[in-house]
Amino acid sequence: MLTPPSDVKKDWSDHALWWEKKKTWLLKTHWTLDKYGIQADAKLQFTPQHKLLRLQLPNMKYVKVKVNFSDRVFKAVSDICKTFNIRHPEELSLLRKPRDPSKKKKKKLDDQCEDDAFELEGPLITPGSGTDILYIGPVKGNIYSSPGLYSKTMTPTYDAHDGSPLSPTSAWFGDSALSEGNPGILAVSQPVTSPESLAKMYKPQALLDKAKINQGWLDSSRSLMEQEVKENEALLLRFKYYSFFDLNPKYDAIRINQLYEQSKWAILLEEIECTEEEMMMFAALQYHINKLSIMSSENHLNNSDKEVDEVDAALSDLEITLEGGKTSTILGDITSIPELADYIKVFKPKKLTLKGYKPYWCTFKDTSISCYKSKEESNGTPAHQMNLRGCEVTPDVNISGQKFNIKLLIPVAEGMNEIWLRCDNETQYASWMAACRLASKGKTMADSSYGMEVQNILSFLKMQHLNPDPQLIPEQITTDINPECLVSPRYLKKYKNKQITARILEAHQNVAQMSLIEAKMRFIQAWQSLPEFGITHFIARFQGGKKEELIGIAYNRLIRMDASTGDAVKTWRFSNMKQWNVNWEIKMVTVEFADDVRVSFICTEVDCKVVHEFIGGYIFLSTRAKDQNESLDEEMFYKLTSGWV
């Protein structure tokens, strides 16, 4: 065994004292041990602050990283994202790997083999070193901690091979395997390699299973060591908050790809429900993205200036779509609020009722719908009137069956009133659905986002169309589709592979002209359009309730849900929230809203701190603005989420 020369000094600068009994880092070096309350019999560990972690990215690939185990998780995730060039790290966090309760505990060797099967190809090299470990964290005097590379003002660059946006990551990592002349392997989509790998993964069977996954979110206000994370442990890096700010194709090649990957796996593993037509649309987009990803890696064309211009032009609309902000249309009369008026079929379900939809002349003004028995009576008193502010809006659409329904759950004192609207065609549905969605947020059709919302809905429906006169598909094309890797297991049981392949190719004709980045953005946009998108579930018992229910947390509301059906029982908007508190002794969360509405619940299978952090986190994200500096207000985040700062 070789021993280092005696004159070589060891660098101890990364070491610190860890007090295992109190789960505390002794980082205040100017404090005495007595001030920390340490007695003579206390055991302290002198250990490096940076330790290895196996990090599973949203694309299910593992990377080995060195993370600061003494930093708060929020700061550690920020450093990880900064190194990967993922903007807005506040949207991500770390999650413990969920265990499949239906399977017996595997041997450690089996787990290791399963993990290795998804290892990213090639080592990720520490910047400026010869090791095979990617170092996460600021380095003094080093380019990798430079805030200049992490700014919305940076000049966008493009890959010289295929015209796709080039992330600065390749500049960060030089000649390492992470760049090798490409935008970076993190910006390249990873297709599902085999049906067997998909079958191995844990699929939540019910809403309660989905809720249990959310028990694993780490506390952002505490360090990894404080939460008993071990060196070389596998953790999942995921988008935690479903509020994606300033998603810009020019700067976010890696962020968009990882977001696409997370949405893809959520659909394949049935973590989110979608209709059969929607599943075929998602499969067609996946097939298209996989095909373009292979082509872009094989065809290295240097004369791509024209392609860059085309990509820029094609993405301008999508940028507006996903930002929900700018519009190039000329503003109309801003003093008048647009209205809708048309014959709509209305149905109000009641117990033991057999009556169906009844046609009404409906007018949509501000945030309210008024229903009249006929157009001639519209100047009189309406037969029904409903204010949609704060309601739940759910689509119920079947393109082939020409069914365009809108389900409304309107909050009332005793719960939610259920109303169904049936539209005659896609155009009518898009106009009314967009108006309902805006009204639920307290906005009217005068809002600048209304026109774009209508176009988004029409685009989403168009992608699900089946071509009435499908072109003949050459036999060699059908052989490169593996439907077992493109659709969820539910549909593999329902149809033969040949049938699924035909339907995927049919749906592919609607997306075949899209560029690679546009297809990813469309996939994300379609995911955002699903009824269950953006709701994080927790098992809870409400004050006064006798049984376990679900509490759903979205970016703008809390939802009390039936645990067996997932139906919304009651909704409360954050815009009406006055304050929320936690009784840490009995683990009860209490939220107070306007009009003296008070909601209290106990989380039965998760620390109430996780729920508290979700609420505070969404409030924090709602304060972001484009004219702000890129730097994050960490202290404000901790004040809103930690509960004891």
Side-chain angles (χ1 to χ4, degrees):
M1 181 177 177
L2 294 174
T3 55
S6 57
D7 59 337
V8 176
K9 295 182 179 180
K10 184 172 175 62
D11 184 3
W12 299 99
S13 60
D14 188 46
H15 283 61
L17 289 172
W18 167 252
W19 190 3
E20 177 65 30
K21 184 179 179 181
K22 296 289 187 180
K23 303 290 182 203
T24 302
W25 283 97
L26 309 185
L27 298 177
K28 296 177 180 178
T29 53
H30 59 285
W31 278 25
T32 63
L33 295 179
D34 184 59
K35 191 170 182 178
Y36 271 110
I38 294 173
Q39 304 298 321
D41 59 347
K43 291 184 178 179
L44 302 180
Q45 185 180 355
F46 189 54
T47 181
Q49 296 173 69
H50 287 85
K51 299 177 185 292
L52 282 178
L53 202 62
R54 285 175 56 78
L55 201 64
Q56 190 196 58
L57 303 178
N59 63 358
M60 298 295 180
K61 303 295 180 182
Y62 281 86
V63 290
K64 292 179 180 179
V65 298
K66 247 189 178 181
V67 182
N68 192 333
F69 273 51
S70 67
D71 273 343
R72 291 174 171 182
V73 166
F74 185 82
K75 176 67 166 60
V77 171
S78 294
D79 286 338
I80 292 170
C81 291
K82 192 174 288 188
T83 305
F84 288 157
N85 195 39
I86 297 176
R87 296 195 307 152
H88 300 291
E90 66 274 13
E91 298 167 0
L92 297 92
S93 192
L94 298 175
L95 179 70
R96 292 188 189 273
K97 198 173 179 182
R99 288 291 176 184
D100 188 345
S102 64
K103 294 181 181 178
K104 294 181 180 179
K105 288 185 178 179
K106 295 183 178 180
K107 293 180 181 178
K108 191 174 181 181
L109 184 62
D110 293 337
D111 283 336
Q112 188 65 40
C113 291
E114 183 179 332
D115 287 352
D116 288 343
F118 298 102
E119 195 78 47
L120 276 171
E121 294 181 6
L124 297 183
I125 299 176
T126 306
S129 78
T131 65
D132 64 346
I133 303 302
L134 180 62
Y135 180 88
I136 301 297
V139 183
K140 291 180 181 178
N142 193 310
I143 187 174
Y144 307 106
S145 59
S146 168
L149 287 175
Y150 179 66
S151 170
K152 62 187 174 188
T153 58
M154 61 185 164
T155 304
T157 52
Y158 296 90
D159 181 37
H161 302 318
D162 60 9
S164 60
L166 175 58
S167 152
T169 305
S170 57
W172 290 29
F173 292 94
D175 297 329
S176 77
L178 191 61
S179 56
E180 293 182 351
N182 293 320
I185 50 177
L186 301 182
V188 179
S189 63
Q190 305 285 332
V192 183
T193 52
S194 68
E196 292 75 24
S197 63
L198 184 59
K200 283 180 183 178
M201 295 187 180
Y202 171 52
K203 301 174 189 65
Q205 300 299 314
L207 277 171
L208 292 176
D209 296 327
K210 296 177 186 177
K212 288 177 181 176
I213 292 176
N214 293 314
Q215 297 173 17
W217 288 108
L218 295 186
D219 186 340
S220 298
S221 304
R222 298 163 63 208
S223 69
L224 293 171
M225 285 279 275
E226 288 175 83
Q227 298 178 73
E228 300 184 358
V229 175
K230 307 298 183 187
E231 188 167 9
N232 279 316
E233 186 173 333
L235 292 178
L236 317 184
L237 179 69
R238 294 290 185 270
F239 288 88
K240 175 178 180 178
Y241 299 103
Y242 296 95
S243 177
F244 313 125
F245 187 72
D246 190 23
L247 198 59
N248 193 326
K250 290 183 180 180
Y251 314 126
D252 293 326
I254 291 176
R255 183 178 172 215
I256 288 171
N257 184 62
Q258 295 301 321
L259 195 51
Y260 157 71
E261 291 284 350
Q262 183 163 326
S263 60
K264 177 186 79 175
W265 285 105
I267 289 162
L268 289 177
L269 299 177
E270 299 176 359
E271 293 174 5
I272 187 168
E273 295 289 328
C274 64
T275 66
E276 192 171 300
E277 289 172 327
E278 289 165 347
M279 177 59 73
M280 297 308 157
M281 175 201 65
F282 283 121
L285 282 168
Q286 275 187 76
Y287 168 66
H288 187 63
I289 290 166
N290 293 344
K291 191 168 68 168
L292 289 183
S293 296
I294 295 170
M295 288 170 59
S296 65
S297 62
E298 290 178 351
N299 302 326
H300 294 273
L301 304 174
N302 293 318
N303 55 344
S304 60
D305 293 338
K306 183 181 176 183
E307 292 178 38
V308 172
D309 295 336
E310 289 174 353
V311 169
D312 249 343
L315 291 174
S316 59
D317 290 337
L318 277 170
E319 206 175 315
I320 294 168
T321 297
L322 289 165
E323 291 174 8
K326 304 170 292 181
T327 177
S328 58
T329 58
I330 300 172
L331 292 175
D333 183 4
I334 59 174
T335 60
S336 63
I337 296 176
E339 298 178 22
L340 291 176
D342 210 341
Y343 276 104
I344 301 285
K345 297 181 180 70
V346 181
F347 173 51
K348 185 174 182 180
K350 294 181 181 178
K351 290 183 178 179
L352 305 177
T353 184
L354 296 175
K355 291 183 180 180
Y357 286 87
K358 193 174 178 181
Y360 285 93
W361 177 259
C362 296
T363 61
F364 204 132
K365 187 175 181 180
D366 293 332
T367 60
S368 296
I369 297 177
S370 301
C371 304
Y372 304 89
K373 292 183 178 179
S374 66
K375 183 177 181 180
E376 291 70 29
E377 298 180 19
S378 59
N379 291 325
T381 305
H384 304 288
Q385 194 168 30
M386 41 199 166
N387 192 322
L388 271 55
R389 188 186 292 267
C391 77
E392 288 293 307
V393 183
T394 308
D396 180 25
V397 175
N398 185 303
I399 303 291
S400 57
Q402 287 296 291
K403 182 176 76 171
F404 304 102
N405 294 343
I406 302 171
K407 179 184 176 183
L408 303 173
L409 290 174
I410 302 169
V412 291
E414 61 274 10
M416 306 283 274
N417 275 348
E418 184 176 340
I419 304 288
W420 287 77
L421 307 179
R422 173 168 286 179
C423 300
D424 294 329
N425 51 59
E426 291 184 18
T427 306
Q428 187 186 57
Y429 168 80
S431 300
W432 284 77
M433 185 63 172
C436 288
R437 284 179 175 170
L438 286 177
S440 72
K441 302 172 186 176
K443 298 179 181 179
T444 69
M445 286 173 276
D447 192 88
S448 61
S449 62
Y450 174 69
M452 186 57 65
E453 183 70 28
V454 173
Q455 292 305 314
N456 288 347
I457 294 169
L458 288 171
S459 173
F460 184 53
L461 296 175
K462 185 180 178 182
M463 285 195 294
Q464 299 175 55
H465 282 183
L466 295 178
N467 196 327
D469 184 24
Q471 302 170 355
L472 291 175
I473 307 295
E475 185 65 32
Q476 65 267 26
I477 295 181
T478 63
T479 57
D480 69 349
I481 290 188
N482 189 349
E484 294 171 307
C485 298
L486 298 174
V487 300
S488 65
R490 180 187 309 170
Y491 296 101
L492 292 174
K493 296 173 185 175
K494 190 173 180 181
Y495 298 105
K496 294 180 180 178
N497 282 8
K498 196 171 183 180
Q499 292 174 302
I500 297 175
T501 299
R503 291 189 63 180
I504 292 173
L505 289 172
E506 206 170 346
H508 180 250
Q509 294 178 52
N510 296 322
V511 301
Q513 302 306 314
M514 293 182 185
S515 68
L516 177 58
I517 194 78
E518 183 185 359
K520 289 180 183 179
M521 297 281 270
R522 288 290 184 191
F523 194 102
I524 295 167
Q525 181 191 358
W527 175 50
Q528 291 174 303
S529 299
L530 296 177
E532 292 184 5
F533 167 79
I535 301 175
T536 306
H537 304 90
F538 297 96
I539 303 170
R541 182 174 285 112
F542 285 82
Q543 193 171 39
K546 296 180 180 178
K547 60 179 181 178
E548 284 189 339
E549 298 176 80
L550 290 176
I551 183 77
I553 304 177
Y555 79 96
N556 60 352
R557 66 200 189 280
L558 287 178
I559 313 165
R560 183 175 182 173
M561 308 172 78
D562 186 290
S564 55
T565 64
D567 292 340
V569 178
K570 185 76 175 175
T571 297
W572 303 276
R573 296 269 160 180
F574 287 154
S575 57
N576 294 326
M577 184 170 64
K578 294 168 68 177
Q579 64 176 2
W580 76 101
N581 301 292
V582 180
N583 185 325
W584 299 104
E585 291 183 9
I586 60 174
K587 307 294 184 184
M588 177 178 282
V589 180
T590 300
V591 190
E592 294 180 22
F593 296 90
D595 301 323
D596 296 324
V597 175
R598 187 185 179 98
V599 182
S600 298
F601 57 89
I602 294 174
C603 299
T604 56
E605 296 197 23
V606 66
D607 191 333
C608 62
K609 172 64 173 67
V610 178
V611 176
H612 169 63
E613 187 172 306
F614 261 94
I615 296 173
Y618 275 124
I619 300 299
F620 174 77
L621 296 187
S622 70
T623 64
R624 297 180 295 182
K626 285 192 176 182
D627 56 352
Q628 284 180 337
N629 193 303
E630 278 290 312
S631 60
L632 285 171
D633 188 348
E634 284 188 43
E635 289 309 310
M636 177 59 70
F637 177 85
Y638 296 136
K639 284 179 181 178
L640 288 169
T641 60
S642 65
W644 48 75
V645 171

